[in-house]
Amino acid sequence: MQIISDESIAEFKKFLDSHEFFFIIGHKEPDGDAIYSCLGMAEILQKLNLQYQLLSAGPFKRNDIRDKAGLFTNTPAFLSEPERKKTGLIILDCSEMARLGDIDGDLRNLDTFIIDHHKTADVKSSCIIDSSSPATACLVVQLYEKIIGNLSETAAKNLFFGISTDTGFFRFLNEDSENVFELVARLVHAGASPRKTYSKMTGGKAFSTRKLLGILLSRAELYYNNKLAVTYETMEDTKKYGQEGRDSDSLYSTLLSTEGVEAVLFARQDTEFSCTAGLRSLESVDVSTIAAKFGGGGHKNAAGLSVEGKLENIIPLICKEFAKVL
């Protein structure tokens, strides 16, 4: 993880000073990093006595963020044209407007600042983007400390949670992550609890999610000398077991712990004509490049995509791309 430069800090402070009101938003189908980065950013603005509104297209499917849904809305406050000129849009954990999802209002043409840690295409807005950072929450921690000072207990707990979710509770960090652990130590010193955070991340799963996990594991098949594990979820599965409290992390970690497996493809038929897919890998396979070929993106070892089509057609196409790198 790189340390945010003084120049970038100054650019962000100038952005804050140039506006009177802010929309704070992360990507659709939010995860812990997106939601808790937004909450960390909200506290920065609070401390600076700046007005803001938290936005999210949702849905809040994940068990570990569901209790935060009431803090967000998908309907931006109405602004007159003079007010829009004084409004800033802060996008966290995503770099593309399309990934913000369905918002019941117009966010286009607002002065925008992006804070993200994903590999991204050409970004024309002001931004702080560091693909070496394991989570957007790490970037928000640095902004908080440089602009506000010592972290409050609430901010520490929120940002620790964001970092924990995107790092698989630090399982995905490499040996060159010393400065990340130094940052995390400051969060713990400010009041974040590793034990309580892990319990919230992993506990409280509905029994239906255990049943679905078993079905997805039983359906898994191995390809390319057992290096790629592939499984899928049908619309009938979703209807029977629901969409709430999913536990895809357990699915990926179980399959990746299988001897010889280097990557996992999990595809789901969302509608009659569209699918989503999650891609995960171990050390060397860059799944973000595979996702990008289908209009998706993400990290080297964790990425996703949404595409038109049916499972029986989409899975072979994605598998062909894996065949080139396995």
Side-chain angles (χ1 to χ4, degrees), residues 82-94:
E83 289 172 329
R84 285 179 65 85
K85 293 179 180 179
K86 299 177 182 179
T87 296
L89 175 65
I90 302 175
I91 300 177
L92 294 130
D93 203 36
C94 138

Side-chain angles (χ1 to χ4, degrees), residues 1 132-134 138 163 167 170 173 176-185:
M1 179 185 72
S132 71
S133 177
C138 287
I163 296 169
T167 61
F170 312 106
L173 293 180
D176 59 350
S177 301
E178 181 179 350
N179 57 2
V180 178
F181 282 108
E182 289 172 350
L183 180 150
V184 168

Side-chain angles (χ1 to χ4, degrees), residues 213 217 248-259 261 264:
L213 179 60
L217 289 172
S248 54
D249 288 342
S250 292
L251 174 67
Y252 293 127
S253 63
T254 299
L255 291 174
L256 283 173
S257 67
T258 305
E259 182 180 11
V261 170
V264 173

Side-chain angles (χ1 to χ4, degrees), residues 31-42:
D31 57 7
D33 191 25
I35 291 302
Y36 288 98
S37 290
C38 285
L39 293 177
M41 179 57 62

Side-chain angles (χ1 to χ4, degrees), residues 3-157:
I3 303 301
I4 300 176
S5 68
D6 291 339
E7 291 77 14
S8 293
I9 297 289
E11 183 183 5
F12 182 63
K13 289 176 69 175
K14 182 179 178 181
F15 177 83
L16 296 181
D17 292 339
S18 301
H19 303 87
E20 296 179 359
F21 183 79
F22 299 86
F23 291 123
I24 303 173
I25 189 169
H27 55 78
K28 64 182 178 180
E29 297 192 359
D31 57 7
D33 191 25
I35 291 302
Y36 288 98
S37 290
C38 285
L39 293 177
M41 179 57 62
E43 185 163 325
I44 291 175
L45 300 190
Q46 243 179 349
K47 297 287 187 181
L48 295 173
N49 295 314
L50 294 171
Q51 299 296 310
Y52 65 89
Q53 184 182 32
L54 287 163
L55 300 177
S56 177
F60 285 68
K61 296 179 181 178
R62 296 170 181 258
N63 187 60
D64 52 8
I65 61 170
R66 196 175 301 142
D67 63 335
K68 304 301 181 186
L71 301 175
F72 293 77
T73 178
N74 68 347
T75 306
F78 174 78
L79 301 174
S80 65
E81 196 56 37
E83 289 172 329
R84 285 179 65 85
K85 293 179 180 179
K86 299 177 182 179
T87 296
L89 175 65
I90 302 175
I91 300 177
L92 294 130
D93 203 36
C94 138
S95 302
E96 303 85 24
M97 292 291 291
R99 289 202 64 220
L100 300 182
D102 294 328
I103 297 296
D104 188 19
D106 187 8
L107 300 180
R108 295 172 299 174
N109 301 319
L110 291 173
D111 195 9
T112 301
F113 201 104
I114 293 171
I115 301 168
D116 192 14
H117 73 126
H118 297 93
K119 289 183 178 180
T120 183
D122 182 37
V123 174
K124 295 180 173 60
S125 304
S126 300
C127 62
I128 295 173
I129 296 177
D130 176 16
S131 60
S132 71
S133 177
T136 297
C138 287
L139 304 177
V140 178
V141 170
Q142 295 180 65
L143 290 171
Y144 191 111
E145 291 178 325
K146 289 290 185 71
I147 296 172
I148 304 301
N150 292 333
L151 289 135
S152 71
E153 182 176 344
T154 298
K157 288 179 178 178

